[in-house]
Amino acid sequence: MDNKITVGSSYEYEFSFTQDDVVKFADASGDFNPIHLDQEYAKNSIFKRTIIHGFLGGSVFSKVFGTIFPGNGTIYLKQDLSFFKPMFTNTKYVAKFEVVKTDSAKNRAEVTTSILDELNEIVIKGEALIKHPSIY
């Protein structure tokens, strides 16, 4: 993305995860909680089925910042997250980004980050601090 990033700049990204993605994340993170991997175990949970790791869901923010908005060269300085609802495999979600503050001297931006489900309800919400040459 070659555009200048200023207050009010925004971006939306639609995505979903498969159970194979969940297994790969468990392998990479070492989080083998059965709520993510074992259908029989999950049937007896409050969710009644397996759920995606919260940080797998939140990892979409890193993907977008580092490859699309603002893109290559982005330095991810900070991220806070709150988890409101579980995420499930093979379900469409939308990640939303909005620049709420910039520091042109340091090429930094504070960006609200959120993931919404198919009902347009917030699943994950937070705020990030990023650095990129396109930030003014």
Side-chain angles (χ1 to χ4, degrees):
M1 183 165 218
D2 295 325
N3 297 334
K4 303 296 183 206
I5 303 297
T6 60
V7 172
S9 295
S10 63
Y11 187 77
E12 292 187 7
Y13 179 78
E14 188 174 295
F15 68 100
S16 64
F17 289 107
T18 65
Q19 189 61 32
D20 187 51
D21 295 327
V22 173
V23 170
K24 288 177 183 175
F25 187 83
D27 287 340
S29 68
D31 180 354
F32 296 101
N33 185 333
I35 194 67
H36 305 301
L37 304 167
D38 184 333
Q39 297 290 344
E40 287 304 311
Y41 175 89
K43 284 181 186 176
N44 297 316
S45 75
I46 61 172
F47 307 115
K48 305 299 181 204
R49 59 184 171 148
T50 57
I51 61 172
I52 293 172
H53 299 78
F55 278 96
L56 173 57
S59 73
V60 72
F61 301 136
S62 181
K63 174 185 179 172
V64 170
F65 284 140
T67 63
I68 305 169
F69 179 79
N72 293 337
T74 298
I75 306 299
Y76 210 154
L77 300 170
K78 180 181 174 184
Q79 175 77 58
D80 68 38
L81 294 175
S82 295
F83 301 93
F84 296 97
K85 293 178 64 177
M87 293 179 70
F88 303 102
T89 58
N90 304 314
T91 301
K92 289 184 182 178
Y93 295 95
V94 175
K96 294 188 176 188
F97 304 78
E98 184 176 354
V99 176
V100 294
K101 185 177 178 183
T102 60
D103 180 341
S104 59
K106 294 183 179 180
N107 295 107
R108 291 182 176 187
E110 290 180 19
V111 183
T112 59
T113 54
S114 59
I115 295 175
L116 288 80
D117 64 15
E118 294 173 317
L119 300 174
N120 207 33
E121 294 178 348
I122 293 174
V123 176
I124 298 176
K125 187 172 184 175
E127 190 168 278
L129 178 63
I130 60 170
K131 180 177 178 70
H132 190 273
S134 69
I135 297 171
Y136 287 87

